[in-house]
Amino acid sequence: MTTATLEQKNLRTGIYALIGALAMLGMGYAAVPLYDLFCRVTGFGGTTQRASESDAAIAERLAQSAGGKTISVRFDASTARDVPWTFRPSQPTDTVQIGVRDMATYVARNNSSIPITGTATFNVEPEQAGKYFNKIQCFCFTEQTLQPGEEVHMPVLYYVDPAALEDENMQGVEQITLSYTFHKAKDQGS
């Protein structure tokens, strides 16, 4: 093998390695948004769905075929250690008709002497219920700023999709838990 041929093979191998490294780097950056998209589409990990008013209207029409079946929804609230808020649901549970819009409220109070901006993360348990739990309006869609001592009531408008009744993985599920945790907004720092 000549020196020129060996140098060409080495150059080609180096180019392939560089392309492979760049592809892996690109996949690393794309992993988080792709995983988020996957969770929202499938309900994986208890990720809830975001619905529009028209989606809710369709679900309410479908609810008639659900025969007035109900399910219990339990509400859970917590805060990260660095968020000096009191955060709780207005009521711990509610029984809702499947396919019919309902509203829950959470109460948050800033116990500190400075304004705090928080953002809520959420999930649903059991995990298989995530793709059927649809939020139309939610305080978790935007950051919330509370002034010192301020207390606010934050609503969540939601419904449970009647398609849950057709899913064999949902058979025997009598209660869905909607859980929120408030964290400081990224621009707030620690």
Side-chain angles (χ1 to χ4, degrees), residues 33-157:
L34 288 174
Y35 181 74
D36 183 55
L37 177 64
F38 172 77
C39 289
R40 291 193 185 284
V41 168
T42 64
F44 182 76
T47 303
T48 62
Q49 305 301 303
R50 191 169 180 172
S52 67
E53 287 286 342
S54 61
D55 293 334
I58 292 168
E60 285 187 3
R61 284 195 296 277
L62 292 172
Q64 295 169 356
S65 65
K69 292 193 176 172
T70 61
I71 192 162
S72 173
V73 179
R74 186 175 81 82
F75 305 103
D76 182 50
S78 63
T79 59
R81 291 179 191 220
D82 63 343
V83 179
W85 289 3
T86 302
F87 178 53
R88 63 177 173 75
S90 294
Q91 65 183 55
T93 61
D94 192 12
T95 300
V96 300
Q97 186 176 343
I98 293 179
V100 176
R101 285 180 258 206
D102 204 339
M103 183 169 49
T105 56
Y106 284 75
V107 180
R109 178 179 173 77
N110 181 354
N111 299 317
S112 75
S113 60
I114 59 171
I116 303 286
T117 300
T119 185
T121 58
F122 54 86
N123 74 331
V124 167
E125 288 293 329
E127 287 184 13
Q128 67 267 28
K131 65 182 176 181
Y132 302 111
F133 196 94
N134 294 273
K135 291 189 283 187
I136 303 163
Q137 294 175 355
C138 182
F139 60 87
C140 62
F141 295 160
T142 59
E143 292 180 345
Q144 304 296 320
T145 301
L146 273 63
Q147 299 302 316
E150 181 180 14
E151 182 174 289
V152 295
H153 293 259
M154 300 180 290
V156 179
L157 187 59

Side-chain angles (χ1 to χ4, degrees), residues 19-31:
I19 290 170
L22 291 174
M24 289 171 48
L25 180 66
M27 288 301 291
Y29 279 104

